[in-house]
Amino acid sequence: MADTPTRTAPARTAPPAPGGRVPTVIADDVHVVYKVQGSGARKGGATAALSRIFSRGPTPGVREVHAVKGVSFTAYKGEAIGLIGSNGSGKSTLLKAIAGLQPVASGTVYSHGQPSLLGVNAALMNDLTGERNVVLGGLAMGMSREQVRERYQDIVDFSGINEKGDFISLPMRTYSSGMGARLRFSIAAAKDHDVLMIDEALATGDAAFQRRSQARIEELRERAGTVFLVSHGIGTVRETCDRAIWLESGVLRMDGPSAEVCDAYEAFTRG
């Protein structure tokens, strides 16, 4: 694997599948390796850094993490797929690779269109108002200014952040983490996506918001493509997804109907 050139996924368009099913994402033996700098890493100036680069030797204090290990699967249009597994199992890293935000060490990711990754920490501008962030976020998601204007009130209403005051006119830094996550999801969900990947965004809302989010995911599946959902809430995966992929220590342990995969994962965690 060391001799395989690093590529950024997604690199290719998904080929057609037999039987009329439309593939949206194909992961073919995907490995993701990244480097983590520990507290003991050697420091120094530019000269020292260049010396370490040209020496080709290992950098002290830096270790490699093999986060995703040979994962292969095919996702199809209309599916909602839950990614489950223990902390550090590679779920979020896999989504980043599919979105093209994380280089793959080997293997290939094929995709239909440009996958969109929505995480709880998705970047909005803390010093700008929620209103301004809706506009900028909508533009960043590929909407026109006219589309943003048309959908603005629906985004605000869907997020529910104005239910207890005019928070949309306040800077994002005044929001709780839950309010910020709900606004991020609402902006992303206002646009149809070929592939929408949601990283823990539903876990931050109350029951009413989760119901609205699940209904919106159903709409996205019907009108667009595929939804991936990373969640530690097994109940959310059961209710929202028809299929689940279980990763453990970077390895794909099980892929199938969400009820069966969730049952197996719960038995594993209890044991």
Side-chain angles (χ1 to χ4, degrees), residues 11-179:
R12 304 178 185 176
T13 300
R21 302 183 74 191
V22 180
T24 51
V25 174
I26 300 174
D28 181 14
D29 193 27
V30 171
H31 291 259
V32 178
V33 179
Y34 59 83
K35 294 181 179 180
V36 176
Q37 181 169 313
S39 57
R42 184 170 57 190
K43 299 179 180 179
T47 303
L50 285 172
S51 176
R52 290 196 293 271
I53 291 171
F54 287 111
S55 70
R56 297 183 181 273
T59 304
V62 175
R63 64 187 182 93
E64 286 191 342
V65 176
H66 197 164
V68 177
K69 304 172 183 176
V71 170
S72 298
F73 66 87
T74 301
Y76 296 93
K77 183 175 181 178
E79 286 189 312
I81 302 172
L83 265 65
I84 62 175
S86 308
N87 287 334
S89 60
K91 304 182 298 295
S92 297
T93 301
L94 178 60
L95 289 193
K96 289 177 182 177
I98 293 171
L101 303 175
Q102 173 70 53
V104 298
S106 67
T108 308
V109 176
Y110 303 85
S111 68
H112 176 71
Q114 175 58 51
S116 302
L117 175 60
L118 169 67
V120 219
N121 297 318
L124 292 181
M125 306 291 286
N126 277 335
D127 289 333
L128 298 182
T129 64
E131 180 179 15
R132 188 62 181 154
N133 272 296
V134 169
V135 175
L136 295 178
L139 294 174
M141 297 296 294
M143 288 186 269
S144 67
R145 289 187 178 275
E146 181 61 29
Q147 288 174 322
V148 174
R149 281 194 295 269
E150 290 174 355
R151 303 175 193 183
Y152 172 81
Q153 196 57 50
D154 287 339
I155 292 172
V156 176
D157 293 343
F158 188 96
S159 71
I161 62 173
N162 263 9
E163 290 175 354
K164 297 182 179 179
D166 186 23
F167 283 97
I168 197 67
S169 64
L170 298 178
M172 282 281 294
R173 65 172 179 269
T174 65
Y175 291 9
S176 67
S177 59
M179 291 168 62

Side-chain angles (χ1 to χ4, degrees), residues 154-216:
D154 287 339
I155 292 172
V156 176
D157 293 343
F158 188 96
S159 71
I161 62 173
N162 263 9
E163 290 175 354
K164 297 182 179 179
D166 186 23
F167 283 97
I168 197 67
S169 64
L170 298 178
M172 282 281 294
R173 65 172 179 269
T174 65
Y175 291 9
S176 67
S177 59
M179 291 168 62
R182 294 202 305 273
L183 186 59
R184 292 179 182 95
F185 179 86
S186 303
I187 294 169
K191 179 181 181 292
D192 290 339
H193 304 264
D194 293 318
V195 179
L196 177 62
M197 298 174 289
I198 306 166
D199 193 350
E200 289 290 2
L202 299 187
T204 57
D206 56 19
F209 180 75
Q210 289 186 19
R211 286 193 296 271
R212 293 199 299 273
S213 301
Q214 289 165 6
R216 178 57 181 143

